[in-house]
Amino acid sequence: MRIGLQQLSATRGAGLTGTETGQPAGGAQRVGNRALFCGLVLLTAVTVLLDMWSGDELRLVPLLVVVPALVSVFGTIRQTVGVASWIMVVAVASRLVTGGTFWDITSSVVFTVLACFLGVGACALRIRHATEIARLRSAAVALQRQILRPLPIVTDQVVAHGTYAPIEEDRLVGGDIYEVVSSPYGTRVIIGDVQGKGLAAIGAGFAVLGAFREAAIREPTLTGVVDALEDAVARHNTFSAQTGEIERFVTALVLGFDGDGRVQAVNCGHLPPRLLHDGVARPVPLRRTSVPLGLAELGSEARVTEWLDLPSGATLLMFTDGVTEARDAAGAFYPLDARLGHWAHQGPRELLDALHQDLEEFSDGVRRDDIAVLAVGWTPSGGVPRPEGPDRGARRAAEAFSRG
């Protein structure tokens, strides 16, 4: 599971591929017409001069027929057609000047024209394939972004800032998920990572998110929420098996904030969070980590809740393995804990911006997995104004569930 970390609300309007903006990404011009023309003229002049110097023993001009094929790898159809037309004129003129029998000249001309047409055809097929891939990639990323809510999210108990950066390379779109739900029992937060990549992983992530949004309002206990998530993954795997897809598991960290600085946590095989407070960053020890969602049958113990203390003004950093498994050019993993110490005194938004920039520089923009990061700060009740609608809706939904 581009490292250009962006806030999700910004990525909804920016960072679009060529297909999303109406311009086929596969047909975008990569080399300017002037540079291509100058290079073509220079190559032709050098080839013709060498051909004249070598005499009849070695003819080099016919080798120019490979140029349209080379241009078809990176050029547009218009550029490839222009290059092919130029090469046909030069090659045919050179063959007529050098002379020969009728069949020699005819076969040479036919071969040149055929090679040029093949170059144009190869360019058209490349652009068509690249455009189809870009459309599929854009659809997967758009679906992924629609599933996840924009950040930040503010509730009575927490303010959750975050960044989310999906990988957009063909089948590598992953299944990182997050959600923050205000309920009658406090604020419930989840961050998770679906095993595998592609649209199937997004489907599994959507199943978990749907179950979480419902259970977070309905279930009075955090373990009850996690049990509902386990059932959702099990049902999804059953359906996947029927349709020929592989079964998947989901690592997840589920937190519950009750408003008094005490935080409940149920860790289902996920990376432990980091606590940033008073200029110090440290890992949060979670000693009761259980198996990922979807693998409960393999665990010998039931999932239990751990309690954490979150001081006022502290930030709890939750993330997926796209952060810790980012690599530099030498293959070394990103040293998250060492870097967090430099930013522990900053606010959540500044912390995420610093992490974004540092990850991009560390990995040199090469992304191997999705990246999701949540920076959650505890807010004493009434400390931050927030819309009243979600709470009223949550209470109404909980009452409806209880009556059912």
Side-chain angles (χ1 to χ4, degrees):
M1 304 185 181
R2 285 175 344 180
I3 286 186
L5 281 172
Q6 301 170 338
Q7 190 173 351
L8 182 59
S9 57
T11 59
R12 288 182 181 272
L16 300 177
T17 64
T19 303
E20 292 173 305
T21 58
Q23 170 66 34
Q29 182 173 298
R30 303 178 185 178
V31 179
N33 292 329
R34 178 176 297 181
L36 183 62
F37 176 75
C38 293
L40 182 62
V41 171
L42 179 61
L43 177 62
T44 302
V46 171
T47 304
V48 170
L49 290 176
L50 290 176
D51 185 86
M52 295 173 60
W53 178 74
S54 63
D56 295 336
E57 296 180 359
L58 179 62
R59 288 299 177 188
L60 298 179
V61 172
L63 297 179
L64 289 174
V65 296
V66 304
V67 176
L70 296 177
V71 175
S72 70
V73 175
F74 59 85
T76 63
I77 294 181
R78 180 176 297 182
Q79 289 176 330
T80 307
V81 169
V83 170
S85 301
W86 172 277
I87 295 301
M88 280 194 292
V89 171
V90 172
V92 171
S94 174
R95 193 69 183 90
L96 292 176
V97 169
T98 57
T101 66
F102 172 79
W103 290 112
D104 287 342
I105 296 176
T106 302
S107 61
S108 178
V109 170
V110 171
F111 175 76
T112 300
V113 172
L114 180 61
C116 290
F117 271 100
L118 287 176
V120 174
C123 180
L125 289 176
R126 174 187 65 82
I127 291 176
R128 179 180 178 182
H129 176 72
T131 302
E132 290 177 353
I133 292 297
R135 286 173 178 169
L136 290 174
R137 181 189 312 156
S138 299
V141 172
L143 174 62
Q144 203 171 27
R145 287 173 175 167
Q146 288 300 318
I147 291 174
L148 302 174
R149 283 207 290 165
L151 295 163
I153 301 173
V154 181
T155 72
D156 284 337
Q157 290 81 29
V158 302
V159 178
H161 293 269
T163 56
Y164 173 68
I167 190 169
E168 299 184 9
E169 186 177 343
D170 303 344
R171 298 182 179 180
L172 296 184
V173 176
D176 287 10
I177 57 173
Y178 66 83
E179 184 56 286
V180 180
V181 174
S182 178
S183 79
Y185 313 105
T187 299
R188 270 77 186 269
V189 180
I190 184 174
I191 188 167
D193 189 355
V194 181
Q195 173 226 358
K197 304 181 185 301
L199 290 175
I202 296 178
F206 182 67
V208 174
L209 284 178
F212 178 77
R213 288 163 180 163
E214 175 183 317
I217 297 174
R218 181 189 65 207
E219 298 293 338
T221 65
L222 200 63
T223 52
V225 174
V226 175
D227 289 341
L229 301 183
E230 176 67 32
D231 293 340
V233 176
R235 289 193 300 268
H236 180 81
N237 282 336
T238 299
F239 177 78
S240 297
Q242 294 173 352
T243 57
E245 292 286 345
I246 63 172
E247 298 182 1
R248 299 178 184 273
F249 62 82
V250 182
T251 66
L253 177 62
V254 184
L255 303 181
F257 296 80
D258 58 11
D260 62 358
R262 296 279 287 171
V263 183
Q264 302 179 66
V266 178
N267 189 6
C268 303
H270 199 73
L271 298 168
R274 303 305 193 257
L275 180 65
L276 290 80
H277 184 56
D278 287 340
V280 177
R282 60 181 177 85
V284 177
L286 295 177
R287 300 177 177 83
R288 303 297 298 273
T289 299
S290 61
V291 297
L293 300 172
L295 301 179
E297 294 182 354
L298 303 180
S300 58
E301 298 180 358
R303 295 186 173 97
V304 296
T305 300
E306 294 187 65
W307 287 91
L308 311 174
D309 289 321
L310 186 62
S312 179
T315 298
L316 199 61
L317 191 71
M318 309 162 65
F319 48 88
T320 58
D321 59 9
V323 175
T324 55
E325 294 184 2
R327 298 174 182 245
D328 61 10
F333 289 108
Y334 182 70
L336 176 63
D337 291 322
R339 302 298 177 92
L340 284 180
H342 302 300
W343 312 316
H345 62 283
Q346 298 181 355
R349 188 64 261 165
E350 293 76 16
L351 166 66
L352 293 172
D353 290 341
L355 179 61
H356 159 205
Q357 182 177 356
D358 195 53
L359 270 170
E360 187 174 6
E361 294 175 356
F362 180 83
S363 62
D364 198 23
V366 179
R367 187 185 309 167
R368 297 175 174 84
D369 201 353
D370 283 8
I371 291 176
V373 185
L374 289 181
V376 182
W378 170 56
T379 301
S381 297
V384 176
R386 60 181 300 273
E388 297 181 358
D391 266 348
R392 291 200 303 265
R395 292 186 179 94
R396 287 197 300 267
E399 292 171 358
F401 280 124
S402 62
R403 288 195 301 268

